[in-house]
């Protein structure tokens, strides 16, 4: 019985007595692993089931090795524009305004997060994301927020003027001196009290008999009335020749 030359191979004459007379069919190339013995389809193509024809990888797939058993799918969210694509770098983003090409893939833009299905979701108010293709959005520093959804840089996190908080070097927001924390907002120190630190939990009382205006930021803002003098301990006492009302002296 005559022997078959094998997939992708044929002869150009009859009566051959050796396999050395078997040649690659038109459209086939020598297999890199067994040159002169086996034939394979070139890059970007796959052999049909009968082993007599090479077909280009379909749209959305590519073939980057020889021989190729099956065409490879482009990364999620990408496709090819031609049949017979030979590399994943030829896979391009499907028309999606929320995605951009990164390397061989297609990822969500900055200001968005990408879920496990590859869908993009805009970062909500109070969050941001500077990187492409991230699976999460980042929270703004404590006390700050963004003014709109889709923020992509931390400097878009700002302090809300309605809360009275001010920006700090680390990007966070705190109540300024002269105020105290009151829930998520700041409340001015009452008259005759003061606070010297950011984010104070309470306002300190002025020394005995001294007074200050609303929102005072240091003890020096506490002063004595015109008929009193300040002592070494910052408390106020009556001047010589005066006595405190109600003291009986």
């Amino acid at each position: 019985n005559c022997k078959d030359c094998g997939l992708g191979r044929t002869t150009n004459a009859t009566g051959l007595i050796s396999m050395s007379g078997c040649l690659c069919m038109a459209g086939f190339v020598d297999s890199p692993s067994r040159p002169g013995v086996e034939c394979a389809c070139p890059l970007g193509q796959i052999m049909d089931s009968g082993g007599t024809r090479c077909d280009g990888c379909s749209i959305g797939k590519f073939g980057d090795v020889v021989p190729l058993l099956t065409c490879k799918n482009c990364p999620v969210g990408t496709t090819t524009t031609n049949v017979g694509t030979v590399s994943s770098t030829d896979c391009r983003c499907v028309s999606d305004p929320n995605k951009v090409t990164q390397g061989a893939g297609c990822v969500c833009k900055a200001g968005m997060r990408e879920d496990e299905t590859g869908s993009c979701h805009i970062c909500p108010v109070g969050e941001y994301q500077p990187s492409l293709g991230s699976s999460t959005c980042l929270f703004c520093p404590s006390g700050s927020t963004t003014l709109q959804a889709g923020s992509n840089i931390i400097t878009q996190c700002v302090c809300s003027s309605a809360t009275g908080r001010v920006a700090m070097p680390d990007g966070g927001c705190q109540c300024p001196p002269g105020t105290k924390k009151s829930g998520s907002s700041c409340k001015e120190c009452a008259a005759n009290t003061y606070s010297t630190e950011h984010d104070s939990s309470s306002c300190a009382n002025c020394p005995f008999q001294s007074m200050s205006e609303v929102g005072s930021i240091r003890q020096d803002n506490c002063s004595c009335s015109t008929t009193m003098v300040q002592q070494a301990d910052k408390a106020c006492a009556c001047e010589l020749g005066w006595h405190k009302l109600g003291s009986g002296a």
Side-chain angles (χ1 to χ4, degrees), residues 17-233:
I17 61 173
S18 170
M19 197 171 183
S20 61
C22 295
L23 306 171
C24 289
M25 295 179 183
F28 286 80
V29 296
D30 265 337
S31 174
S33 59
R34 300 188 69 191
V37 178
E38 292 182 354
C39 296
C41 292
L43 288 171
Q45 298 183 35
I46 191 168
M47 192 181 298
D48 73 336
S49 58
T52 60
R53 185 182 73 247
C54 292
D55 296 321
C57 292
S58 59
I59 296 293
K61 299 186 176 186
F62 64 95
D64 58 356
V65 294
V66 173
L68 185 67
L69 298 179
T70 183
C71 293
K72 301 176 182 179
N73 292 317
C74 281
V76 173
T78 67
T79 188
T80 58
T81 55
N82 299 304
V83 171
T85 298
V86 301
S87 172
S88 62
T89 58
D90 294 318
C91 297
R92 294 288 181 263
C93 291
V94 177
S95 182
D96 184 340
N98 293 324
K99 291 197 171 186
V100 294
T101 302
Q102 184 182 56
C106 194
V107 297
C108 295
K109 294 179 179 179
M112 311 188 85
R113 67 173 179 84
E114 189 168 326
D115 66 21
E116 61 277 2
T117 69
S119 298
C120 302
H121 303 273
I122 193 167
C123 292
V125 170
E127 299 179 25
Y128 69 100
Q129 179 49 254
S131 301
L132 301 176
S134 177
S135 61
T136 61
C137 295
L138 305 175
F139 289 106
C140 282
S142 176
S144 65
T145 186
T146 57
L147 300 180
Q148 60 185 17
S151 295
N152 57 21
I153 190 169
I154 192 173
T155 54
Q156 291 176 307
C157 296
V158 296
C159 303
S160 172
S161 59
T163 66
R165 294 177 179 265
V166 295
M168 301 300 290
D170 64 358
C173 299
Q174 295 184 359
C175 291
T179 68
K180 64 178 179 179
K181 292 187 293 185
S182 179
S184 60
S185 300
C186 307
K187 185 177 181 180
E188 277 193 308
C189 289
N192 307 329
T193 66
Y194 65 96
S195 68
T196 60
E197 304 291 337
H198 286 86
D199 256 7
S200 294
S201 58
S202 62
C203 298
N205 291 319
C206 282
F208 183 69
Q209 293 292 327
S210 63
M211 301 173 293
S212 68
E213 295 182 353
V214 171
S216 293
I217 63 173
R218 56 181 182 270
Q219 192 182 65
D220 289 348
N221 294 142
C222 300
S223 59
C224 302
S225 66
T226 56
T227 59
M228 303 187 85
V229 293
Q230 201 163 50
Q231 308 294 298
D233 62 358

Side-chain angles (χ1 to χ4, degrees), residues 226-244:
T226 56
T227 59
M228 303 187 85
V229 293
Q230 201 163 50
Q231 308 294 298
D233 62 358
K234 303 299 183 180
C236 296
C238 293
E239 292 183 350
L240 292 174
W242 295 78
H243 71 85
K244 188 170 64 174

